[in-house]
Amino acid sequence: MALMTLRAECSASVILLGSASLSGSGEGQGQILQRFPEKDWEDNPFPQGIELFCQPSGWQLCPERNPPTFFVAVLTDINSERHYCACLTFWEPVEPTQEAVGTKDASEREEEADEGGWGQLSPGAAAAAQPGQLFAPKTLVLVSRLDHTEVFRNSLGLIYTIHVEGLNVGLESVIGNLLTCTVPLAGGSQRTISLGAGDRQVIQTPLADSLPVSRCSVALLFRQLGITNVLSLFCAALTEHKVLFLSRSYQRLADACRGLLALLFPLRYSFTYVPILPAQLLEVLSTPTPFIIGVNAAFQAETQELLDVIVADLDGGTVAVPECVHIPPLPEPLQSQTHSVLSMVLDPELELADLAFPPSMVSTSSLKMQDKELRAVFLRLFAQLLQGYRWCLHIVRIHPEPVIRFHKAAFLGQRGLMEDDFLMKVLEGMAFAGFVSERGVPYRPTDLFDELVAHEVARMRADENHPQRVLRHVQELAEQLYKNENPYPAVAMHKVQRPGEASHLRRAPRPFPRLDEGTVQWIVDQAAAKMQGAPPAVKAERKTTVPSGPPMTAILERCSGPQVNSARRLEVVRNCISYVFEAKMLEAKKLLPAVLRALKGRAARRCLAQELHVHVQQNRAVLDHQQFDFVVRMMNCCLQDCTSLDEHGIAAALLPLVTAFCRKLSPGVTQFAYSCVQEHVVWSTPQFWEAMFYGDVQTHIRALYLEPAEDRATSQEAAEVSAQEDERSALDVAAEQRRLWPALSREKQQELVQKEESTVFSQAIHYANRMSYLLLPLDSSKSRLLRERAGLGDLESASNSLVTNSMAGSVAESYDTESGFEDAETCDVAGAVVRFINRFVDKVCTESGVTSEHLKGLHVMVPDIVQMHIETLEAVHRESKRLPPIQKPKLLRPRLLPGEECVLDGLRVYLLPDGREEGTGGSGGGPALLPAEGAVFLTTYRVIFTGMPTDPLVGEQVVVRSFPLAALTKEKRISVQTPVDQLLQDGLQLRSCTFQLLKMAFDEEVGSDSAELFRKQLHKLRYPPDIRSTFAFTLGSTQTPSRPARIAKDKGPSLKTLSRNLVKNAKKTMGRQHVTRKKYSPPGWEHHSQPPPEDQEDEISVSEELEPSTLTPSSALKPSDRMTMSSLVERACCRDYQRLGLGTLSSSLSRAKSEPFRISPVNRMYAICRSYPGLLIVPQSIQDNALQRVSRCYRQNRFPVVCWRSGHSKAVLLRSGGLHGKGVVGLFKAQNAPSPGQSQADSSSVEQEKYLQAVVSSMPRYADASGRNTLSGFSSAHMGSHVPSPRARVTTLSNPMAASASRRTAPRGKWGSVRVSGRSSGLSTDVGSRLASRDGLSTPQANGAPADAGFLRPQRAALYIIGDKAQLKGVRQDPLQQWELVPIEVFEARQVKASFKKLLKACVPGCPATEPGPASFLRSLEDSEWLIQIHKLLEISVLVVGLLDAGSSVLVSLEDGWDITTQVVSLVQLLSDPFYRTLEGFRLLVEKEWLSFGHRFSHRGAHTLAGQSSGFTPVFLQFLDCVYQVHLQFPMEFEFSQFYLKFLGYHHASRRFRTFLLDSDYERIELGLLYEEKGERRGQLVCRSVWEYVDRLSKRTPVFYNYMYAPEDTEVLRPYSNVSNLKVWDFYTEETLAEGPPYDWELAQGPPEPSEEERPDGGAPQSRRRVVWPCYDSRPRVQPDAISRLLEELQRLETELGRPPERWKDTWDRVKAAQRLEVRPDGRGTPSSLLVSSVPHHRRSLGVYLQEGPMGSTLSLSLDSDQSSSSTASARQAARRSTSTLYSQFQTAESENRSYEGTLYKKGAFMKPWKARWFVLDKTKHQLRYYDHRVDTECKGVIDLAEVEAVGPGTPTMGAPKTVDEKAFFDVKTTRRVYCFCAQDVPSAQQWVDRIQSCLSDA
């Protein structure tokens, strides 16, 4: 021990503060005044820098005397030895002279004590408190390596007391005695000492040195911080985080650090540990290493910016964990168990708190006892955490010193805690490494922990659920811990003098004196002389063999679900292996799939390894090729689930086997199994090889010491002994050897060391060979193997730190394709392997003490070993190539469409399961169709996979998955394991917007170049440079796809040339406009006021000489332009405008003046707006030349045009692009009226204002005589003076209150409801709050039913403009207008795109969800926000429908007018007009609103290279989804089926048809597409237009027709739009693996099944039952609905009877007509009838009611219309019929005059067969026409009756129908040829002859 005196040296300047009572403070340096002994002890150097630790806050003077303080600081020296510095500080007055006196001599003496010295130090100054007096601290310090705080406190206190109280005792003798007192040895001895001042103290040492001494520190720590905080600090310290304690008390800091360290036992904390850190050393806190440090709370501010330090505030009881720090919690259930036991110990009353009769007394432990109980809890915790650790120790060397390694992976694997973050970090930490080297030793002293972990674990597991038993165990352990610290509790009697109360305030007799060093030194020397005579005290250590406890197998396997291996599964594995070795290959093949499935479980993998071991004879098992393949496949399957650490020891068990099994390839060439199982990550993991190496070394070392057993005397004895020895573990053997070691002679010791060293060396050579086997690829040119092995490439950089690992991981991922060894020209595989092996050899040999000569030898050997192995492998590789290839299944060719060509022939691939469960037989059951083995084909139209399931138990099902190339949205490379051989292969994952996902792994026979070619071709076809290269264009072209242009036949002024002229003219026009616009001067105002001349108004032409900026038509109309006009008129829009009565185009194209709207040809050259159609509906009063100026106010020049008019309210729906800055908004913002001199932009705004005014006044209900715009529907009673005049106004969204207030003041009138029905309208929200709120929750109506449109305001505006909220900001009101702005928030196209991406991932996930089940799908669906967008669209549409229905017009003016505008406008028309809900009407709607009005299909679908960056944005698909939602709610209102919507959804992205290809009519004309459908009748082979295809298909099959169609003519649909009412469209989720998507009808019709009679096997007729698999078969086709079934049956029967089958539509219409006739007599529709329904007006689908329960149904009753519901369906049907025929544009050119019709067989021209045709005799036209079918609108031929010469009986010729009577034949002879006919029977033949003759006679 060393004793010193320090004194405070203050800095020269003393700063005086305050005035009345002056106070000074100064920072100083501490200085050693005296130290005893003066020389260091021999074994204990004097610690440097001790001055800092005596006054951690700095040496400062203070204005008053403070009481003395005491604390113990801990210093750690360079050898990790701890020095305890006990500091007692007191204050003395500063004497003026003291500043000047220099440093006094620091003298020093030392003295030997038994186990290290104690020392002490005293600084000084003292004086009474005078007014300006300052006091300086002096400190006595005792430095010792022993930790006896109480003795330190007493001894220093005694010295201070002698000084202060002036006792008559010499300080020198006290200090001398202190330095020389002997301290007892450890092991529970005690000694009484006295320092010669009448004092007595007892020193006790703990029983076991290894157990920490905690006194009360742990209990105090829990009191200060609480259970949770201490637990998180405990975990933080164990997982190597930085922990900082703050407190104002130094003693508390020291105790808290001591307590935390005590909890960590049996692990020792090995990082920086400073319980009290001086202020000058605060920068230590920013060290990168972990630490436990205590700092005075005064310096809290300095700790604020530490980002990665966990701060525990002891005074405040908080623990602050920074955001960037993650403290892993204890593994469950240990975390919760520990927590509850701790609360039982700390708060025993908690258990009794709820008792009705709590006991009167609760015994609480003393603080010291509680401290031990808390430690006992943590001791138990460690025993549970580390149970069985000794079974995972590898003893590598026994002599001269034990070398022990821990097998971390095996330990974690056996515990089932591989994933546990906490345990993983603890095992990787320094503390655990120390634990292994200290406690792993097999022969050493043992302590409490060793007993606990070996013997008590079973008891702990049994007690888990019995809290009282746990508590008892804790108390037992606590007793032992307490006993360890206080072995003699009774005798702890101290007697030490203390200074009197407040003695520090009395004036001290004098400053602390300078002591006489000589006296002290003399006492020390005396004692030393005495000691020399005494014998050295040596404590005998009691060493024993450390108990190992029960082996780990006692711990249960934790595995779940299908992984649990039943005995049956293991039996299957055993059987399969025995079949393989008995060469029963067929049997083995049957079992193999089951075995591969079973091998997912750990037990089955172990079982496989054991079984294979049995079949290895003498280290070698030669197999034939098939056996070899089977064994390799099973091994690969085992290894594929092994992690890199191989925690279950599977790879370890297989390692000896892969070098044992082999096959002969040719004489002298043998292939071993290792060359086929290399592609597993475990082989490239150094930790795996180290663990294997140490395990093998242990086995050999154990054998080395067990060998002598064989030399024993009698064989019987030897047998018994060896049996016992077999049971002894390596650790037991090692313990025995360590015990004997000291007794061995020197030579014997040397010999054993040498033997061990050579054993390790030979193993190192063996492993160098083994590693080269598994790391060198069979084909060394294939470096891909190595690239996949993260291990080999970057081991240099591999490290244990988490940061670098994660960094390295991410870098490796980003470079993975280019990295690896490909950069080296001669791909240096050998070099990489040599480096890997050398690193391994270096590490293990240095750790296990191999001599440096041996190590050098190894380094020389390794390259040779590798080189030799490469040479043998070359021969093996060469020979293995010659093996006959394994029979792979034949590639199945896919069926192609007519015109579809294969671009790349099949590449062999495996189709792997993705995140959808259906195909894999997941939770839904069913067979595992995936993974499937087959090929991927690339055609001009699709990517197609065809193949068969790899699982042979599934059967011979063909699996097809395909999608159109154009639908590809994402392609990414993946690296996956092939399902059969478990090899790592390159793969591709292709995702399409038609909701298909191809996740493929290329077969090994597919070279990487083929795969790359596939990717390139795919990319080229997906993004062609030009739209002309797409499939839709190349399809109908001449046979060479390389020539893009088709050669058209020249038909006079053909449509192609016409298109070209049109575009040329348009370009001229545009060019000229562009030029003139620059020097444009605004025309005078009078120009607008007078009407233009008459002649200008009537004719339509394209003038070549244009006036400066107006398109004024001149009188000449060229023939080509007339063609243009007629073609424009034929477009869908025009036909629809005529149907709606929005404007007529008579032959002279003059306009009826009474019409409010006219069809304007102003855009016929696409000069005003490229993306609009040629003919537009505008108000009658607006001139064409004004339109151009109006168009400038709108984005993309898309000015407002009418697209629909309501039949009953005559309100119109308009659409336009969004406004430019200076549109209506500018109008409202600029209050001053524009004068003639204003700029052009302003004149445009005025034009625009006029334009809107014209729209308003064109509505009949708003133009009344007085010229004031009032609402004609408003009754005069409500027209009081208080009704505000109509005005333009903005319904703002931000302030719903204001809007509702304005509503309240005005009377409600009829505007209370949307429809004439008397629905109540207690609605208090305005448009804004409805549309702006994201989910419409504010609407009080249930189910998101349409709220009233009357809520907009009490008096309705004539025109509502629905615009974007952002666009209409800051708009002021203007009282003169009659329109109102409705700003709404809409999503943009990019949001649709992002949402769709997420929807795709939700519906077709790439990999299985982490938590299976519907929840994860629903969550990702919600995240996509797709349904929220659908909800918004429906909500806006329903709002507009309500406004239109109530008589207000609406202008939808959003974004550029081609995305959301189109969606809303189309939906509004669909909901408002029943015509659009028919097949023909829906076609018209799409053609008009989507195609003619320029939705950018090519741009949104990213059809060409240019659009690649923009990506796929499914605006049209979203519209179809909305239609689907409406269809679901109103299934009887739509003529088309839901399949029709899916069909359009698929083909709008497929590029099979040209319909959805370009961005506008203008582009279609430019390519000559627009009129070719009309002008050129192509052959029947190819359909260019999707509509043409639908028409053709509809004739053959009712797939697009909805049988429930029974419409209400007046029905306006108002669907519910809340998200809860929306369903996920099954188009997104369904799949048919039997044939791929069912939307290419030609492909979907599989080959017909053989009928029962003609089964090929000729056996008895099979049963007709058939298994339908949900994701394999197309359910609608395998199980058609009843009506389709009946129609099919009818067709089949007709064919059997030899009659030409009738069209399904005719049959259907006939049945419906018959049904109507049955209903007619009683005048009411029977509700039960199938086809006709008389459900009142709002016929929602029942599905909606069933979900919404009573609320929904009551609502539906209140929705009754006032129209009587007794109108019979037949009347409605008839009305609908007449209207549909009236507007039908698809009727045949010949008007239908059918005098007589029926089926006849007609003999074709020369050499042609007989055919059944439908004949029509037409008296009016005097013709006999024939058609293919009854409903065919296209006439196949005409016989003119004027040419007929005679009609007479005929004779049957070759090929005539056999079953018909001869008299049924007749001939018709014309001037050109003789026609031979055959009727179905004789009477009908007679009837035909009579009819024809009567026709002839009439003529």
Side-chain angles (χ1 to χ4, degrees), residues 581 605-606 608-623 628 631 635 639 646 648-662 671-675 677 682-683 688-689 691-693 695-696 699-700 763 766-767 769-771 773-774:
F581 286 100
R605 287 185 260 165
R606 290 216 185 97
L608 176 85
Q610 288 157 7
E611 286 298 306
L612 290 175
H613 268 290
V614 174
H615 291 281
V616 179
Q617 293 95 17
Q618 293 87 39
N619 295 336
R620 174 72 72 90
V622 183
L623 310 175
F628 186 79
V631 170
M635 283 181 174
L639 289 166
D646 184 40
H648 303 313
I650 306 298
L654 290 178
L655 185 60
L657 296 173
V658 296
T659 52
F661 288 112
C662 59
Q671 178 176 15
F672 283 89
Y674 57 71
S675 60
V677 296
V682 66
W683 305 132
F688 163 76
W689 287 108
M692 281 295 300
F693 174 78
D696 274 3
T699 314
H700 283 86
Q763 277 303 307
H766 178 46
Y767 266 80
N769 278 299
R770 269 189 172 178
M771 289 166 80
Y773 294 156
L774 279 155

Side-chain angles (χ1 to χ4, degrees), residues 117-290:
W118 294 8
Q120 162 205 343
L121 123 88
S122 75
Q130 287 144 12
Q133 180 82 59
L134 292 178
F135 297 89
K138 252 189 194 172
T139 307
L140 301 171
V141 180
L142 184 61
V143 182
S144 165
R145 281 204 319 214
L146 303 179
D147 174 19
H148 291 286
T149 313
E150 279 310 303
V151 179
F152 298 162
R153 187 194 296 268
N154 292 336
S155 306
L156 292 179
L158 184 65
I159 294 172
Y160 174 71
T161 308
I162 293 171
H163 160 62
V164 170
E165 300 290 346
L167 297 182
N168 191 12
V169 180
L171 282 175
E172 285 89 345
S173 66
V174 172
I175 291 172
N177 289 337
L178 179 60
L179 291 180
T180 56
C181 69
T182 44
V183 179
L185 290 170
S189 43
Q190 67 168 3
R191 164 87 46 106
T192 309
I193 60 165
S194 167
L195 301 184
D199 59 311
R200 181 175 78 248
Q201 295 185 61
V202 178
I203 299 181
Q204 288 192 5
T205 52
L207 291 171
D209 256 352
S210 55
L211 291 174
V213 174
S214 62
R215 293 188 278 285
C216 306
S217 56
V218 175
L220 287 170
L221 183 62
F222 272 95
R223 278 199 183 171
Q224 286 158 347
L225 293 178
I227 296 177
T228 313
N229 283 340
V230 175
L231 273 178
S232 61
L233 283 182
F234 169 76
C235 293
L238 272 182
T239 51
E240 303 188 352
H241 284 98
K242 306 177 184 179
V243 178
L244 176 66
F245 286 104
L246 295 176
S247 173
R248 295 210 308 282
S249 150
Y250 290 123
Q251 194 56 43
R252 288 231 174 144
L253 286 176
D255 277 347
C257 293
R258 170 193 292 270
L260 186 54
L261 250 55
L263 291 182
L264 298 184
F265 175 81
L267 272 58
R268 284 176 194 258
Y269 192 72
S270 50
F271 294 103
T272 311
Y273 172 72
V274 187
I276 299 172
L277 184 72
Q280 284 100 318
L281 302 181
L282 278 179
E283 66 268 18
V284 171
L285 293 176
S286 41
T287 168
T289 54

Side-chain angles (χ1 to χ4, degrees), residues 1558-1852:
L1558 292 151
D1559 286 349
S1560 61
D1561 276 1
Y1562 172 77
E1563 288 187 14
R1564 291 182 189 97
I1565 289 180
E1566 206 168 20
L1567 274 182
L1569 283 191
L1570 199 51
Y1571 308 123
E1572 69 173 9
E1573 296 164 21
K1574 300 269 178 277
E1576 311 168 35
R1577 289 306 302 170
R1578 286 292 162 137
Q1580 286 295 306
L1581 174 69
V1582 175
C1583 284
R1584 304 242 174 91
S1585 147
V1586 74
W1587 314 118
E1588 197 182 323
Y1589 185 78
V1590 168
D1591 280 352
R1592 282 195 201 169
L1593 203 49
S1594 300
K1595 287 173 191 167
R1596 295 197 350 241
T1597 165
V1599 65
F1600 295 130
Y1601 187 77
N1602 173 19
Y1603 300 118
M1604 293 171 69
Y1605 180 51
E1608 293 270 357
D1609 273 349
T1610 53
E1611 176 74 295
V1612 173
L1613 307 183
R1614 289 187 171 81
Y1616 299 139
S1617 63
N1618 274 352
V1619 177
S1620 56
N1621 295 87
L1622 306 179
K1623 304 281 169 285
V1624 182
W1625 191 8
D1626 52 1
F1627 174 62
Y1628 305 150
T1629 51
E1630 67 183 6
E1631 172 164 56
T1632 312
L1633 283 172
E1635 59 204 15
Y1639 309 109
D1640 287 311
W1641 196 255
E1642 304 88 328
L1643 303 169
Q1645 300 306 311
E1649 302 230 335
S1651 64
E1652 289 188 6
E1653 291 74 37
E1654 47 196 56
R1655 292 264 174 200
D1657 51 18
Q1662 303 278 311
S1663 142
R1664 285 213 168 183
R1665 289 180 59 187
R1666 181 173 168 203
V1667 179
V1668 179
W1669 290 343
C1671 96
Y1672 183 72
D1673 296 292
S1674 164
R1675 263 184 286 189
R1677 217 170 23 258
V1678 184
Q1679 304 168 287
D1681 56 75
I1683 298 172
S1684 307
R1685 192 56 164 274
L1686 291 168
L1687 287 170
E1688 280 174 23
E1689 195 66 12
L1690 266 175
Q1691 235 173 348
R1692 194 176 63 74
L1693 290 168
E1694 281 177 333
T1695 323
E1696 275 181 25
L1697 293 170
R1699 292 176 51 188
E1702 192 176 26
R1703 296 271 173 92
W1704 70 266
K1705 192 76 171 82
D1706 294 358
T1707 316
W1708 177 246
D1709 288 344
R1710 243 199 353 267
V1711 174
K1712 282 181 91 165
Q1715 181 82 11
R1716 279 200 292 278
L1717 291 172
E1718 286 168 27
V1719 171
R1720 194 165 291 164
D1722 63 341
R1724 285 198 308 281
T1726 52
S1728 61
S1729 91
L1730 163 71
L1731 301 166
V1732 178
S1733 162
S1734 56
V1735 181
H1737 212 56
H1738 241 263
R1739 296 165 309 148
R1740 302 249 171 201
S1741 73
L1742 197 56
V1744 176
Y1745 290 149
L1746 296 178
Q1747 290 147 20
E1748 274 107 39
M1751 181 64 193
S1753 47
T1754 52
L1755 179 73
S1756 73
L1757 297 176
S1758 68
L1759 296 175
D1760 266 15
S1761 68
D1762 55 349
Q1763 169 202 27
S1764 78
S1765 59
S1766 65
S1767 63
T1768 58
S1770 56
R1772 289 202 304 274
Q1773 198 72 7
R1776 195 187 62 74
R1777 265 295 153 80
S1778 56
T1779 53
S1780 65
T1781 47
L1782 178 67
Y1783 301 128
S1784 169
Q1785 296 292 319
F1786 292 128
Q1787 297 300 338
T1788 52
E1790 304 90 2
S1791 59
E1792 298 295 337
N1793 296 312
R1794 302 186 172 212
S1795 318
Y1796 185 66
E1797 53 188 346
T1799 304
L1800 290 174
Y1801 286 93
K1802 167 179 163 292
K1803 167 83 171 77
F1806 182 63
M1807 295 294 283
K1808 292 227 181 114
W1810 286 80
K1811 277 212 181 119
R1813 302 271 193 222
W1814 184 260
F1815 279 83
V1816 174
L1817 184 60
D1818 184 345
K1819 277 189 180 173
T1820 320
K1821 294 200 172 174
H1822 213 56
Q1823 288 173 339
L1824 179 62
R1825 296 193 296 277
Y1826 57 91
Y1827 301 84
D1828 268 347
H1829 311 281
R1830 180 174 172 185
V1831 287
D1832 200 0
T1833 51
E1834 233 170 85
C1835 172
K1836 289 287 173 284
V1838 178
I1839 301 171
D1840 198 334
L1841 295 185
E1843 295 177 359
V1844 175
E1845 291 175 350
V1847 181
T1851 51

Side-chain angles (χ1 to χ4, degrees), residues 701-710 725-726 728 733:
I701 297 265
R702 174 175 173 269
L704 187 72
Y705 290 105
L706 287 180
E707 268 168 20
E710 270 102 74
E725 303 226 326
D726 283 345
R728 288 167 59 198
V733 174

Side-chain angles (χ1 to χ4, degrees), residues 106 184 383 436 534 539 662 761 784 833 999 1010 1055 1062 1105 1138 1193 1219 1283 1326 1460 1670 1684 1722 1743:
V436 169
K539 181 191 172 192
C662 59
F761 175 58
R784 186 166 54 77
V833 174
K999 187 173 177 181
S1010 312
L1055 289 165
L1062 189 55
E1105 307 80 23
Q1138 288 170 332
C1193 301
L1219 287 158
V1283 176
D1326 64 334
I1460 298 175
S1684 307
D1722 63 341

